Each structure stands twice: as structure tokens, then as C-alpha cells.
Amino acid sequence: MELKERISIEDIDGKKIKIRLVEPEDNSSAILTHYLHNYNNGIKKYYEEDAREYINEFIKYKELENKVKFDVEEAIQQLLFQVENVPFPTPKNYTFKFIDLFAGIGGFRLALQNSGGKCVFTSEWDKYAQITYRANFGEVPFGDITKESAKKYIPDEFDVLCGGFPCQPFSNAGLRKGFEDTRGTLFFDVADIINRKKENGTPIKVIFLENVKGLKTHDKGNTLKTIIATLKELGYNVAEKVLNSKNFGVPQNRERIFIVGWLKDSEKSFNFPLGMDNDSNPIFKSEDLHKTKLTSVKSILIENPGDKYTISDRLHAGHLRRRKEHKEKGNGFGFSLFNGESVYTNTISARYYKDGSEILIEQKDANPRKLTPREAANLQGYDKQFVIPVSDVQAYKQFGNSVSVPVIQTIFSEIKKQLL
Ligand SMILES: C[S@@+](CC[C@H](N)C(=O)[O-])C[C@H]1O[C@@H](n2cnc3c(N)ncnc32)[C@H](O)[C@@H]1O
């Protein structure tokens, strides 16, 4: 019989139904959306049993409530439509598969989908980042990746693992500099996933990681050394490079370290692009960096930001006072002003929501203003269609934590050419 009432993932999210499988860490909507997103490929088997159970329980509930019969296949068709009716659906003819760890709002996913990739697993535990992720990609990320309740759903069939994992010291670092030294950190979980796939006979072809530039000097260089040693121990060649977003067509001075690992037995090597030119071609030599794509802060500013982003007289006075005090002490700290003509801004960080002091935009006849969330999105190279469904505070945190999409996309097109 026909579905009288529209069935939706929200009903399952909203726990209208009691599900036997619900664990302390509730991944039910992640399981369901991953199932639906992989409905037409072999990956669906990893999610099928649990997802079907949710759908059946849900239908039973609906039948009791409405006293009519519901058809499971029709319910699935409706749900399928919902998860693909989003701004950034799976590319039609994808050529490789990847997993998106520490996914944030999906900066890696956007870039890899643009390169023809299909995401088959994602994890991000922050509930606000999950909201943004789902609104744009139609998939709810799994929660805490250190937990078996998330890890056990990672499929075997994928080519690339990507993630910007939080940087932590390795307490035993320096002993052996390898896999076991990383236990208790989030990098250990990355290494553990790589190791499981290796032991399974389905080794991951490429590892693509991002981190703050400070990783290089973190714990006197031990942290990065241990990460590289661990990837080598797991059978990978490794290349790393600090790159600046301003060389990739976004007007932001943002330095980040990128680490690429590829299987040792592949006899390949990897050459990082250092930037991209006006035609979006990669640049490989530092002496060619003057040919980078020309842009200015004007390119990310919107027309009518609204008054609410103008900082108050009190905050402005505070900024001016601190700047004066710092100047007198001889250090340069203070707030930073930019305008449309500026070539690039400072780095936008997750703390931008506090007072915006790192990037303020000059205004005629008014106090300076903060960037709007949309401008923060533009500054990180996010597409105009990217939906921002959360509060300004959450949005600043999310874009501040994110990768610059064009940087990931340029590096990834080289990974595809050179390594996949
Ligand atoms: C630096 S951000 C990565 C942002 C991402 N690359 C993007 O483009 O939006 C690191 C993310 O890891 C998430 N995270 C930290 N620990 C986690 C865990 N145990 N399980 C899942 N996600 C975690 C944080 O919530 C944060 O969003």
C-alpha cells in the first residue's frame, strides 16, 4: 500500500521509535545515511543489516500509528531522494573512493568530490559540524572515531584516507618512533585504521593528512618524526610540505602542513604543487610562485554585510587601547585591518568568533567590521552553494577549523595524476 505520510530521516533521528540497536554512542542516523548513500554499490553491505532494522522498526511504528500498511521499498526510495537532494551530492561517474576522518564540515570531501571521488565513510563528533555536513552532503558523520562503534563500519573498499587530525604529543615518542608509540592519541586511531586495512589484505593506496604548521616544531619535532616513522612502518613512502593558501587563489595567509603517504611497493614518487596559476594549473618551482593566481580581499567580500558585523565602540576602543599598549612595549600585537585592496588577510582561526581581531574590515564613517560567515566561507574557498545552517559563532569555528578547499583540490589533482 502507498505511504500516506512522507517518511523522513528526521523521524528516525528524532527517536520517535525505540531502536534495539541504539548504543551509548548513537550512530543510527549515520548508519542509515551511509546505507542510503551506498545503496547502489557494494559498500551498502556494511550498513545494511542495521539500517534495515531501523527502517523496519520505523515502518512498524508508522503502521501502528496510521493503521495502514507501508511498503519498505517505497520508504527506501523516498529516503534515497532525500539524501541525494542536497547541494553536493555524490558525483555521477566517480572514479575512486575515499573516507573522510575528522571531517569538520567536509572541506576534504568537497575537494575530492570535485575531483570525481565518492565518500564511503565519514566521522566527525561535533554536533554542529554534523549539522552543516549533513545539510551539504546528505550524510550524517559517525561520532567518536576512537570507538569501535564507529570504526567497525569503515568499509574495506576505498583508495584514499583523508583527515585533519588534532595534533597531540606522543608521550612515548623517542623510544621506538613507530606505531605503538602513538597509542592514546588521535593519530594512533588513524594508524590503527591503516593497519587494519593492511592486515585485511586491502591496503589503502593513499593517505592524505593536514595539520597546523606548528606540527613541524611540536615537541621539538618529535611529533612529526613519529608520524612519518609510523607511516613508514605501515608500508608507506611519505612526503610532507608546508603550503600557503595565498598561493592557491584565496586571499588568505594560511600556512598548513600536508602529509601524503603512498604504498612503498608502487615505485612512485610525489611532487607537491606549491601554488596554482590564473588558469588553475599547478606551480612546482618556488621561483614561479610570482605567477600565482591574482586575487585580493575584494573577491571574498559581500555587498551588504549588515550592521551587526560592525564592532561596537567599546570593542573598538579596547582594540585601539591594546594596540597602543603593545606598541609602547615594543611588540606588534594588536588587531589587524584589511580592505578590498589588501592582497590577503591573516589566518582565520576557530577563535575568530571571540572578537575578530585577527581580521577586521575597514569601513568608511564607521567602526571596522568582522567578516560575515559567508565571507569566512569565501576566504576558505567554499562554493557559493555551500549551506551555512548554524549560528554565526558555530560557523566561524567551523570555517576557522577548516581546510582551504582549493589547496586540497590542487594537491589532490596531483595525487590523482601521480599516485592513483
Ligand atoms: C581541524 S578540524 C578538521 C576540519 C576539516 N578538515 C574541515 O575541512 O572542516 C578537526 C576535527 O576533528 C574533530 N574531532 C576531534 N576528535 C574527534 C574524535 N575523537 N572523533 C571524531 N571527530 C573528532 C573535531 O570536532 C574537529 O572538527
Side-chain angles (χ1 to χ4, degrees):
M1 216 184 265
E2 250 183 51
L3 275 175
K4 288 276 178 330
E5 206 178 309
R6 205 175 143 73
I7 200 164
S8 94
I9 295 161
E10 271 75 19
D11 294 317
I12 293 184
D13 265 0
K15 307 293 165 300
K16 275 192 185 169
I17 44 165
K18 234 181 147 36
I19 296 169
R20 180 179 64 77
L21 286 167
V22 169
E23 301 178 33
E25 169 96 26
D26 179 12
N27 281 317
S28 54
S29 36
I31 293 167
L32 186 62
T33 49
H34 279 68
Y35 173 63
L36 295 165
H37 262 238
N38 291 289
Y39 196 68
N40 295 315
N41 66 35
I43 308 278
K44 87 167 171 187
K45 65 175 185 253
Y46 295 93
Y47 311 113
E48 179 135 46
E49 199 185 325
D50 295 346
R52 284 270 175 173
E53 179 146 4
Y54 295 154
I55 295 168
N56 285 332
E57 289 289 328
F58 176 63
I59 282 175
K60 251 192 256 159
Y61 163 84
K62 283 265 174 187
E63 286 179 349
L64 278 178
E65 196 184 49
N66 299 297
K67 310 249 178 314
V68 282
K69 271 237 148 305
F70 287 106
D71 181 80
V72 181
E73 287 315 313
E74 198 186 337
I76 288 177
Q77 288 311 315
Q78 289 202 14
L79 292 170
L80 277 173
F81 174 76
Q82 286 172 38
V83 295
E84 286 294 347
N85 188 23
V86 285
F88 303 98
T90 304
K92 284 272 171 295
N93 299 310
Y94 55 86
T95 54
F96 66 94
K97 300 192 190 82
F98 65 96
I99 66 169
D100 191 12
L101 303 181
F102 308 100
I105 54 173
F108 273 98
R109 181 165 179 156
L110 204 53
L112 270 67
Q113 281 196 182
N114 285 343
S115 304
K118 155 104 186 126
C119 183
V120 293
F121 176 89
T122 171
S123 151
E124 165 57 59
W125 70 1
D126 180 88
K127 72 172 187 204
Y128 298 104
Q130 288 184 344
I131 290 172
T132 304
Y133 198 98
R134 175 180 175 178
N136 285 285
F137 302 104
E139 199 155 72
V140 179
F142 280 84
D144 191 349
I145 194 61
T146 67
K147 299 270 161 46
E148 208 43 44
S149 54
K151 261 187 208 172
K152 71 176 180 196
Y153 288 102
I154 302 179
D156 286 337
E157 304 86 346
F158 65 95
D159 309 287
V160 185
L161 173 154
C162 40
F165 61 96
C167 157
Q168 298 160 299
F170 301 121
S171 52
N172 298 324
L175 295 180
R176 225 160 46 87
K177 296 219 169 54
F179 186 25
E180 285 304 321
D181 291 338
T182 68
R183 202 170 272 285
T185 67
L186 290 164
F187 177 73
F188 173 81
D189 292 287
V190 173
D192 179 39
I193 292 165
I194 299 172
N195 191 40
R196 287 183 191 202
K197 299 304 161 194
K198 180 183 154 199
E199 308 251 287
N200 246 355
T202 52
I204 306 168
K205 285 188 196 143
V206 171
I207 313 299
F208 184 15
L209 307 173
E210 179 255 10
N211 219 298
V212 291
K213 184 192 173 190
L215 182 70
K216 260 184 119 81
T217 48
H218 192 253
D219 190 20
K220 303 197 192 86
N222 250 327
T223 308
L224 180 59
K225 253 190 224 154
T226 308
I227 289 171
I228 294 176
T230 301
L231 292 174
K232 287 190 171 162
E233 182 188 340
L234 292 171
Y236 290 83
N237 285 317
V238 184
E240 39 89 11
K241 191 114 212 144
V242 172
L243 297 171
N244 195 326
S245 298
K246 73 180 164 70
N247 296 325
F248 292 82
V250 282
Q252 185 191 170
N253 185 21
R254 183 186 194 86
E255 287 188 297
R256 287 291 182 269
I257 187 166
F258 298 90
I259 303 169
V260 174
W262 64 99
L263 286 170
K264 275 184 189 158
D265 55 17
S266 68
E267 288 183 9
K268 290 175 177 161
S269 58
F270 184 67
N271 204 1
F272 272 101
L274 307 180
M276 71 177 192
D277 69 14
N278 270 326
D279 301 316
S280 301
N281 293 317
I283 290 172
F284 288 99
K285 293 190 204 137
S286 48
E287 61 264 33
D288 288 341
L289 276 179
H290 66 277
K291 297 182 194 158
T292 50
K293 187 169 174 173
L294 290 177
T295 116
S296 67
V297 171
K298 199 191 305 170
S299 67
I300 65 114
L301 298 180
I302 61 169
E303 255 173 37
N304 296 307
D307 293 341
K308 81 181 223 204
Y309 298 100
T310 299
I311 64 171
S312 66
D313 288 342
R314 202 162 146 235
L315 190 54
H316 193 210
H319 281 326
L320 290 169
R321 195 193 63 240
R322 273 189 299 279
R323 169 181 274 189
K324 192 161 166 263
E325 284 166 7
H326 283 288
K327 216 172 180 175
E328 280 161 8
K329 283 191 203 137
N331 54 36
F333 181 87
F335 67 107
S336 302
L337 285 177
F338 301 89
N339 59 44
E341 307 311 312
S342 310
V343 184
Y344 49 78
T345 66
N346 287 339
T347 308
I348 185 161
S349 74
R351 61 169 293 289
Y352 186 72
Y353 72 92
K354 290 193 172 153
D355 59 10
S357 63
E358 64 260 49
I359 310 170
L360 289 173
I361 304 297
E362 283 174 341
Q363 302 192 100
K364 248 197 205 140
D365 309 322
N367 293 341
R369 69 170 179 88
K370 286 167 75 164
L371 296 172
T372 69
R374 177 58 63 194
E375 289 171 331
N378 294 343
L379 195 58
Q380 289 285 43
Y382 275 80
D383 208 278
K384 298 276 176 289
Q385 276 80 43
F386 196 84
V387 177
I388 308 175
V390 290
S391 68
D392 285 5
V393 168
Q394 291 301 332
Y396 290 132
K397 282 191 191 168
Q398 294 177 0
F399 290 112
N401 257 334
S402 164
V403 288
S404 301
V405 179
V407 181
I408 298 296
Q409 204 164 325
T410 313
I411 302 173
F412 192 75
S413 39
E414 287 310 312
I415 290 179
K416 229 181 136 184
K417 253 189 248 159
Q418 300 177 37
L419 301 175
L420 276 186

